[in-house]
């Protein structure tokens, strides 16, 4: 190959490389960690998670793994917290997954390796009042104590 043509091609390649847009991206992309339920009541649940870069967040949740309800926040942060109230009811098992979107639009979802995270709300429904009881017979002792 002619040395002048070789030099021309080398300069052309260098100019092309220098004129291309340069993007930096984490080798592994956005990651989610430390997903946890921090507070549970019969009608409200607080969920927190962390990301390695600032991002907004979303929680998808429901009584089945098909989820169906969501809650979002649009703040770009690394420590995420959302309070779930819509659809939360007493003595119920829930499934959930968290999702974050960075400023470049990259989305990552953590659904606990397709097993989903879970929580159960406490039972606050009082038992029914017992009525209609009557004493059939009376002895001098109940459980070893005189009456």
């Amino acid at each position: 190959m002619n040395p002048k043509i070789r030099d021309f091609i080398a300069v052309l390649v260098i100019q092309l490389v220098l004129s291309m847009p340069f993007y930096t991206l984490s080798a592994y992309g956005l990651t989610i960690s430390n997903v946890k339920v921090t507070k549970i009541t019969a009608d409200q649940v607080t969920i927190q998670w962390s990301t390695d870069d600032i991002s907004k967040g979303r929680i998808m949740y429901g009584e089945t793994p098909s989820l169906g309800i969501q809650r979002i926040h649009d703040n770009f942060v690394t420590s995420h917290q959302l309070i779930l109230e819509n659809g939360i009811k007493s003595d119920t098992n829930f499934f959930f997954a968290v999702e974050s979107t960075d400023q470049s639009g990259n989305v990552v979802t953590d659904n606990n390796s397709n097993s989903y995270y879970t929580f159960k709300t406490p039972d606050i429904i009082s038992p029914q009042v017992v009525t209609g009881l009557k004493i059939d017979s009376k002895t001098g002792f109940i459980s070893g104590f005189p009456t």
Side-chain angles (χ1 to χ4, degrees), residues 24 34 49 60 78 109-110 116 123 140:
T24 59
N34 301 320
W49 72 98
M60 294 85 56
T78 58
T109 303
D110 184 349
Y116 295 97
D123 179 5

Side-chain angles (χ1 to χ4, degrees), residues 33-49:
S33 61
N34 301 320
V35 177
K36 57 188 166 188
V37 177
T38 59
K39 183 178 179 184
I40 301 177
T41 67
D43 60 356
Q44 192 176 76
V45 177
T46 302
I47 297 177
Q48 297 177 336
W49 72 98

Side-chain angles (χ1 to χ4, degrees), residues 71-91:
R71 173 101 169 131
I72 63 170
H73 76 78
D74 288 326
N75 302 328
F76 284 95
V77 295
T78 58
S79 295
H80 305 264
Q81 176 176 299
L82 281 168
I83 298 172
L84 311 180
E85 297 172 311
N86 185 24
I88 301 297
K89 57 188 176 182
S90 168
D91 194 29

Side-chain angles (χ1 to χ4, degrees), residues 65 95-96 111-118:
F95 298 84
F96 74 96
N111 63 7
N112 198 22
S113 300
N114 293 320
S115 297
Y116 295 97
Y117 293 98
T118 60

Side-chain angles (χ1 to χ4, degrees), residues 128-143:
Q128 293 182 351
V129 175
V130 178
T131 60
L133 296 179
K134 66 179 186 171
I135 298 175
D136 284 342
S137 67
K138 185 176 179 181
T139 63
F141 292 94
I142 296 177
S143 300

